[in-house]
């Protein structure tokens, strides 16, 4: 009786003022926005009215719990979707502060739609990136990747990992970036993801002042798509740092003539101001003036982006909001009504859950056994090789580590990431892992045979085990997830 009265009162309030949108109307707007989104369009930009979407967002924001009680939940008519669509529209209209608030609201919507949450966190990461808050951007892209993985969307998960790698590249963190890149390459063969990885590498090497490598990767991108102005700008910047001014100005002019992005135009104008030797003083002054105008626009945008990031930081550090108690009280009422149904079905659901857990455990055990068998087969193949040093690319430490990673479940990277072993100790671990005896290790390492035991014991101690148990320890490390 109480719930029925509450619902009637709520519906009456929704229609008391004709200027306000009802919850049902708001959900219908979100359904339309979802439909346009799946067709590659945006509500409020391609079709529909932006004011209508804003009103739908505000309506669902004011009554998120009651909208669920009255209309039930659906994959498309939810508050989190309204937040996402409205946030995207606000970004398109260059209002990152309001967009950030909409995306933050989506993260507090208690939705279980992990796909939409993945996209929400990705947009938050984009805003942080534009504000040059690269570590915060990395954190948001990590959340985005986790949401996509929780949803079973492996493709978007790998895009998320690449976004994380790109933010590491912006910070010049070479080892961390390349580790993530190798992880993606080993697990994902999608061509579009591979293209994004190339862009990440090009950006990383520019930050690390390895300009020949930047040119190599950015040329691949530009050859695949001559409309890729990000790639063209990387080429121009690399040539500029290498003091190859004619090539730098050539690509800078291409970027300036085609881009609509302020940051790309600003960087292109910087190169033309400093490297264009074909212009006289007046021409250089004109270019410098254009860059000054562009920088003023960027300063305005950066101010907005900084405010958006401040909103996010305040939210991350916010105190608990006790309004959730009201939602719990309503939930308890609903639980009371449905308790009799729950009691009848509890046993059956428990059995189903137990069966699912058992099936999952069996599948995990089967996968673990398959991995162990695969690794054992590869160990035997290498151990019986007539030229182990050649098989392992022994003379090139990085290539050897890459080969070991590819064949033994990232074992070399796992050892390196412990940050307790030097190169010789890592090489010893690889030889012990594949089962070589002391004489064989002494010839391959090379290292005095009489010192192999001492080196082995020292290395094992660094890893928290013993020389006698080292091979078993390494095998467990290789087969763990």
């Amino acid at each position: 009786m109480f719930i029925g009265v509450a619902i009637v009162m709520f519906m009456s309030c929704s229609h008391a003022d004709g200027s306000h949108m009802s919850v049902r109307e708001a959900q219908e707007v979100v359904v339309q926005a979802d439909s346009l989104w799946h067709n590659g369009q945006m509500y409020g930009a391609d079709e529909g009215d932006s004011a209508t979407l804003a009103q739908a967002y505000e309506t669902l924001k004011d009554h998120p719990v009651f909208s669920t009680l009255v209309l039930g939940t659906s994959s498309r008519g939810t508050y989190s979707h309204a937040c996402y669509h409205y946030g995207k529209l606000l970004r398109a209209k260059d209002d990152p502060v309001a967009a950030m608030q909409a995306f933050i609201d989506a993260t507090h919507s208690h939705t279980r739609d992990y796909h939409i949450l993945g996209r929400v966190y990705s947009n938050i990461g984009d805003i942080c990136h534009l504000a040059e808050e690269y570590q915060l951007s990395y954190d948001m892209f990590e959340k985005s990747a986790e949401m996509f993985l929780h949803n079973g969307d492996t493709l978007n998960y790998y895009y998320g990992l690449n976004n994380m790698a790109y933010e590491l590249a912006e910070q010049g963190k070479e080892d961390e970036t390349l580790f993530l890149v190798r992880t993606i390459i080993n697990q994902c063969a999608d061509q579009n993801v591979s293209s994004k990885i190339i862009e990440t590498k090009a950006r990383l090497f520019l930050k690390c002042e390895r300009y020949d490598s930047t040119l190599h990767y950015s040329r691949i991108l530009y050859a695949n798509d001559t409309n890729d102005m990000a790639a063209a700008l990387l080429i121009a910047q690399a040539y500029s740092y290498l003091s190859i001014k004619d090539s730098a100005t050539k690509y800078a002019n291409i970027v300036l003539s085609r881009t609509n992005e302020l940051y790309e135009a600003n960087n292109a104008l910087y190169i033309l101001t400093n490297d264009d030797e074909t212009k006289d003083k007046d021409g250089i002054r004109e270019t410098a003036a254009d860059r000054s105008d562009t920088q003023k626009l960027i300063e305005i945008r950066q101010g907005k982006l900084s405010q958006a990031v401040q909103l996010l930081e305040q939210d991350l550090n916010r105190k608990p909001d006790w309004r959730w108690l009201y939602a719990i009280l309503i939930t308890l009422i609903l639980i009371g009504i449905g308790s009799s149904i729950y009691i009848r079905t509890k046993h059956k659901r428990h059995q189903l859950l137990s069966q699912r857990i058992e099936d999952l455990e069996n599948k995990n055990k089967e996968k673990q056994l398959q991995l162990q068998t695969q690794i054992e087969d590869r160990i035997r193949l290498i151990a019986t090789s007539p030229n182990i040093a050649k098989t392992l690319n022994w003379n090139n430490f990085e290539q050897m580590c890459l080969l070991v990673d590819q064949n033994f479940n990232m074992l070399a990277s796992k050892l390196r990431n412990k940050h307790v072993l030097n190169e010789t100790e890592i090489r010893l671990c690889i030889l012990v892992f594949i089962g070589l005896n002391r004489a064989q290790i002494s010839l391959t390492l090379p290292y005095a045979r009489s010192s192999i035991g001492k080196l082995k014991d020292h290395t094992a101690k660094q890893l928290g085990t013993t020389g006698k148990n080292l091979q078993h320890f390494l095998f467990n490390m290789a087969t763990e997830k």
Side-chain angles (χ1 to χ4, degrees):
M1 182 69 180
F2 168 76
I3 294 177
V5 172
I7 291 175
V8 171
M9 291 176 63
F10 169 70
M11 294 298 291
S12 300
C13 291
S14 297
H15 293 280
D17 186 346
S19 63
H20 289 84
M21 180 182 291
S22 71
V23 171
R24 189 177 298 278
E25 289 170 336
Q27 288 204 337
E28 288 173 356
V29 169
V30 176
V31 170
Q32 294 171 27
D34 277 337
S35 180
L36 289 170
W37 171 40
H38 293 309
N39 290 321
Q41 296 177 300
M42 182 183 295
Y43 191 98
D46 300 304
E47 292 182 32
D49 178 52
S50 59
T52 302
L53 181 58
Q55 194 174 11
Y57 161 76
E58 292 295 341
T59 297
L60 295 174
K61 182 177 183 179
D62 291 339
H63 308 291
V65 176
F66 281 107
S67 65
T68 302
L69 289 175
V70 176
L71 299 175
T73 58
S74 70
S75 62
R76 298 194 291 179
T78 62
Y79 175 51
S80 61
H81 281 243
C83 295
Y84 171 72
H85 293 307
Y86 190 49
K88 287 280 288 183
L89 180 62
L90 289 166
R91 281 196 67 191
K93 292 180 176 295
D94 198 26
D95 189 353
V97 179
M100 179 65 82
Q101 185 60 62
F103 292 136
I104 290 172
D105 289 341
T107 67
H108 296 314
S109 65
H110 306 294
T111 181
R112 292 186 179 181
D113 187 338
Y114 297 109
H115 178 81
I116 208 71
L117 285 176
R119 292 189 174 275
V120 164
Y121 279 117
S122 182
N123 274 272
I124 294 175
D126 285 339
I127 294 173
C128 293
H129 173 84
L130 292 172
E132 301 180 351
E133 293 289 343
Y134 301 127
Q135 184 56 50
L136 187 56
S137 180
Y138 174 94
D139 294 339
M140 295 301 104
F141 283 131
E142 185 176 31
K143 284 183 176 291
S144 174
E146 289 172 357
M147 293 300 106
F148 286 129
L149 186 61
H150 197 83
N151 194 54
D153 187 344
T154 55
L155 181 60
N156 276 317
Y157 168 69
Y158 290 121
Y159 275 119
L161 288 187
N162 181 71
N163 288 335
M164 293 162 60
Y166 195 92
E167 299 310 310
L168 292 172
E170 286 284 10
Q171 299 172 73
K173 296 181 178 180
E174 183 174 356
D175 291 340
E176 294 92 330
T177 303
L178 293 179
F179 176 77
L180 264 183
V181 165
R182 284 195 298 267
T183 300
I184 300 169
I185 291 172
N186 290 334
Q187 299 177 7
C188 179
D190 184 85
Q191 291 299 316
N192 292 323
V193 174
S194 298
S195 180
K196 299 300 292 182
I197 288 173
I198 292 172
E199 181 182 0
T200 298
K201 286 183 176 181
R203 188 63 180 170
L204 170 67
F205 292 129
L206 186 74
K207 285 288 184 178
C208 295
E209 300 181 359
R210 291 163 59 180
Y211 305 122
D212 288 336
S213 296
T214 300
L215 282 173
H216 170 73
Y217 289 109
S218 53
R219 281 172 177 161
I220 294 174
L221 291 171
Y222 192 70
N224 290 336
D225 182 7
T226 55
N227 291 318
D228 188 345
M229 291 300 99
L233 180 60
L234 284 167
I235 295 172
Q237 289 174 316
Y239 276 131
S240 178
Y241 284 120
L242 291 169
S243 296
I244 306 176
K245 296 187 176 183
D246 55 340
S247 296
T249 55
K250 171 188 172 182
Y251 284 95
N253 276 313
I254 291 173
V255 173
L256 192 60
S257 64
R258 298 185 189 177
T259 189
N260 293 319
E261 295 292 330
L262 285 175
Y263 301 94
E264 291 177 351
N266 180 59
N267 287 321
L269 287 166
Y270 175 82
I271 293 172
L272 293 173
T273 301
N274 293 279
D275 292 346
D276 193 346
E277 299 177 333
T278 65
K279 290 183 178 180
D280 56 19
K281 291 183 178 180
D282 290 336
I284 293 173
R285 288 194 187 100
E286 183 177 351
T287 302
D290 290 340
R291 182 166 182 258
S292 178
D293 292 339
T294 303
Q295 286 180 311
K296 290 178 182 177
L297 294 175
I298 289 176
E299 288 175 4
I300 295 171
R301 177 176 290 181
Q302 286 299 112
K304 296 178 182 178
L305 291 167
S306 295
Q307 292 178 39
V309 169
Q310 287 176 5
L311 270 182
L312 175 62
E313 290 174 338
Q314 290 171 6
D315 180 71
L316 293 174
N317 297 316
R318 69 187 175 89
K319 295 181 179 179
D321 185 352
W322 297 108
R323 287 179 295 179
W324 60 272
L325 282 172
Y326 298 109
I328 290 181
L329 291 174
I330 295 173
T331 302
L332 289 174
I333 295 171
L334 293 175
I335 291 174
I337 295 174
S339 60
S340 60
I341 299 174
Y342 171 77
I343 293 172
R344 287 195 300 268
T345 59
K346 180 179 179 181
H347 182 66
K348 182 178 179 180
R349 292 171 66 181
H350 177 73
Q351 286 182 323
L352 180 61
L353 179 60
S354 298
Q355 184 62 45
R356 287 179 179 176
I357 292 173
E358 184 179 351
D359 291 343
L360 183 60
E361 289 175 347
N362 290 335
K363 287 180 181 179
N364 288 336
K365 289 179 181 178
E366 183 179 348
K367 288 181 180 179
Q368 188 71 11
L369 289 172
Q370 289 175 350
L371 177 60
Q372 291 176 358
T373 302
Q374 183 184 64
I375 288 177
E376 289 170 349
D377 291 340
R378 291 177 178 175
I379 287 175
R380 283 193 291 270
L381 185 64
I382 293 177
T384 57
S385 170
N387 190 338
I388 290 177
K390 182 178 179 181
T391 301
L392 288 172
N393 290 326
W394 190 254
N395 293 328
N396 187 319
F397 181 71
E398 292 297 330
Q399 288 298 317
M400 182 201 71
C401 288
L402 181 60
L403 184 144
V404 170
D405 281 346
Q406 291 172 343
N407 285 278
F408 300 118
N409 195 28
M410 304 301 291
L411 175 60
S413 291
K414 291 174 182 177
L415 288 169
R416 295 175 80 175
N417 288 338
K418 287 185 175 294
H419 303 295
V420 296
L421 303 181
N422 59 34
E423 181 178 324
T424 299
E425 291 164 344
I426 290 173
R427 287 179 181 271
L428 172 69
C429 286
I430 301 307
L431 297 179
V432 171
F433 172 74
I434 63 177
L436 298 192
N437 58 39
R438 291 190 181 185
Q440 291 172 312
I441 292 173
S442 177
L443 291 174
T444 307
L445 198 52
Y447 211 81
R449 182 175 179 179
S450 60
S451 302
I452 293 297
K454 184 177 181 181
L455 176 62
K456 184 178 178 182
D457 288 338
H458 174 75
T459 302
K461 185 177 180 181
Q462 294 286 88
L463 292 172
T465 185
T466 64
K468 183 179 180 180
N469 195 47
L470 181 58
Q471 185 182 24
H472 180 69
F473 177 89
L474 293 170
F475 187 84
N476 288 339
M477 181 182 289
T479 55
E480 68 183 8
K481 293 182 179 179

